Amino acid sequence: MHNSEFRKYYMMAYPFFVLWAIGWTFEADYWWCYWWMRLCLLGFVYLSWQYSKRYIFDDNLGITIPFGIYLATKTWMYFTWFFYILPHINSGLIHLAFFANTALLMYHFYMAVKCDPGFIQTNRQQQSKVILDLAELETISVEQFCSTCIIHKPLRSKHCSTCNKCVAKFDHHCPWIFNCVGASNTRHFILYLTYLIGMILWCSYGCVTFWRNGCATDEDKWVKIAVDRIRCSPWVTWIFLNCCIHLLFVGVLLGNMLYQTVYLGLTTNERINLYRYKHFSRNSAFYNPYSRGILQNCVDVMEVECGGLCRPVKTDWRNIYSLPGEQETV
């Protein structure tokens, strides 16, 4: 019924409508907006979901709609900041910090989405050599061979079934950025999550400020105060609820990324598939040949130099085929 391009953009745009419809249904407080109008809007949301599931959504829903959810929630959070919260913020320093966080968030989000995560390029001549090395010379093993890309896979690389490419130092494919996280954009992904948490915290602070300054109440019991503030602006309450959910989710994701990349010195793929890689075992015990200690792992991953005080090791994981001390085959 619809071409794939239309389906993709529809799935990205659909969360914008759903989040708006739910919030507006409870926010609308006009004389002409009767209860049956709100009920009809929620019914329309339900019918649109059923129609979309049947005729528009396809097998890419799981990797497309999360990206739309991210864009939608952040768009409505910024909408809330500018049209609800902004008049109640009197500090220029808070505005400056908010917009500085926004600029850094947008930059690292753009880089995480658009940056080549470490796709391994090849050509017909290289593919012919790899087939020869595998079939006749036997200088590479089946485990080191990608049958889809027809390449000799570098260490820490993996074929991404979504992008249909091998990625150097593959961590995972993230539907929230519509891209893989790999050797070239891990730093941007971690900083994107960091500033995203900052943005969510600022929006949460703005919601609380709005309630304090714009929703006066004479009640002294916290339950009645909460009810009054919800009635004051159901939309702000809806956005605050979204902030809490996203703060929990993004916080867990960031904590997991830092634990794996900095503390363990591993990628998500390596941690999940430790049993598949023999070099992570020495004398029947866990051994990580890639970890250089917590501090140096952090310096390497985040590429921190601090004016020469730190020295990150910039490894080209597209061309590393063996561990130090082993014979390297290129």
Side-chain angles (χ1 to χ4, degrees), residues 66-67 70 74 109 112 171-181 186 188-197 200 244-262 266-269 271-272:
F67 187 69
Y70 165 78
K74 302 312 165 290
F109 174 66
D171 191 275
H172 68 287
H173 183 90
C174 181
W176 301 100
I177 62 170
F178 219 56
N179 197 6
C180 284
V181 178
T186 298
H188 292 297
F189 182 71
I190 290 175
L191 289 173
Y192 150 67
L193 294 178
T194 302
Y195 291 116
L196 178 56
I197 287 179
I200 295 171
C244 293
I245 295 172
H246 280 74
L247 183 61
L248 177 63
F249 172 78
V250 178
V252 170
L253 181 56
L254 177 60
N256 185 63
M257 282 294 298
L258 291 175
Y259 174 70
Q260 290 178 161
T261 59
V262 176
L266 296 171
T267 64
T268 300
N269 171 62
R271 190 181 177 199
I272 293 174

Side-chain angles (χ1 to χ4, degrees), residues 33-324:
C33 192
Y34 300 107
W35 64 268
W36 59 267
M37 290 184 177
R38 305 182 190 196
L39 193 61
C40 285
L41 180 58
L42 291 178
F44 180 75
V45 171
Y46 173 77
L47 292 176
S48 71
W49 171 256
Q50 295 298 321
Y51 176 85
S52 299
K53 279 200 308 182
R54 184 170 183 177
Y55 296 108
I56 301 179
F57 293 161
D58 57 22
D59 294 338
N60 294 319
L61 179 68
I63 61 173
T64 303
I65 210 164
F67 187 69
I69 292 174
Y70 165 78
L71 293 177
T73 52
K74 302 312 165 290
T75 297
W76 292 125
M77 284 180 189
Y78 277 110
F79 171 86
T80 305
W81 180 276
F82 285 109
F83 291 95
Y84 286 82
I85 298 170
L86 193 64
H88 301 280
I89 302 292
N90 300 318
S91 172
L93 186 61
I94 291 178
H95 290 304
L96 179 62
F98 175 79
F99 288 113
N101 186 90
T102 294
L104 291 167
L105 169 63
M106 296 301 181
Y107 170 73
H108 289 291
F109 174 66
Y110 177 83
M111 293 300 292
V113 172
K114 292 297 184 180
C115 180
D116 178 347
F119 293 132
I120 300 171
Q121 306 299 330
T122 188
N123 54 47
R124 191 171 294 273
Q125 182 180 358
Q126 292 172 332
Q127 290 175 330
S128 299
K129 182 180 183 302
V130 167
I131 293 175
L132 179 65
D133 291 341
L134 176 69
E136 297 187 15
L137 301 179
E138 297 183 354
T139 54
I140 64 174
S141 64
V142 175
E143 290 77 14
Q144 296 172 307
F145 175 70
C146 176
S147 59
T148 303
C149 299
I150 313 181
I151 64 167
H152 179 183
K153 294 192 297 184
L155 283 176
R156 315 191 80 176
S157 67
K158 187 179 184 297
H159 185 85
C160 175
S161 59
T162 303
C163 296
N164 199 31
K165 294 179 181 179
C166 281
V167 181
K169 198 183 177 185
F170 177 82
D171 191 275
H172 68 287
H173 183 90
C174 181
W176 301 100
I177 62 170
F178 219 56
N179 197 6
C180 284
V181 178
S184 301
N185 68 345
T186 298
R187 168 179 171 268
H188 292 297
F189 182 71
I190 290 175
L191 289 173
Y192 150 67
L193 294 178
T194 302
Y195 291 116
L196 178 56
I197 287 179
M199 182 265 176
I200 295 171
L201 289 174
W202 277 119
C203 191
S204 301
Y205 166 80
C207 291
V208 173
T209 302
F210 172 86
W211 285 329
R212 286 178 177 175
N213 298 339
C215 302
T217 178
D218 296 327
E219 301 291 345
D220 55 357
K221 294 184 178 180
W222 69 269
V223 175
K224 293 184 177 180
I225 293 174
V227 171
D228 283 351
R229 288 179 173 174
I230 291 173
R231 288 175 176 174
C232 177
S233 179
W235 173 268
V236 172
T237 304
W238 170 237
I239 294 299
F240 182 76
L241 179 61
N242 274 270
C243 286
C244 293
I245 295 172
H246 280 74
L247 183 61
L248 177 63
F249 172 78
V250 178
V252 170
L253 181 56
L254 177 60
N256 185 63
M257 282 294 298
L258 291 175
Y259 174 70
Q260 290 178 161
T261 59
V262 176
Y263 185 77
L264 297 178
L266 296 171
T267 64
T268 300
N269 171 62
E270 289 169 341
R271 190 181 177 199
I272 293 174
N273 299 295
L274 276 177
Y275 66 94
R276 295 177 55 188
Y277 302 107
K278 296 179 180 178
H279 52 263
F280 286 122
S281 177
R282 176 177 291 183
N283 299 324
S284 300
F286 172 73
Y287 168 74
N288 185 2
Y290 306 124
S291 179
R292 304 176 67 225
I294 297 175
L295 182 59
Q296 192 59 49
N297 287 343
C298 181
V299 170
D300 292 345
V301 171
M302 304 309 296
E303 301 177 13
V304 178
E305 295 186 359
C306 294
L309 295 176
C310 302
R311 296 182 179 180
V313 176
K314 298 180 180 179
T315 305
D316 183 7
W317 290 105
R318 289 181 175 89
N319 295 299
I320 302 296
Y321 296 87
S322 62
L323 293 169

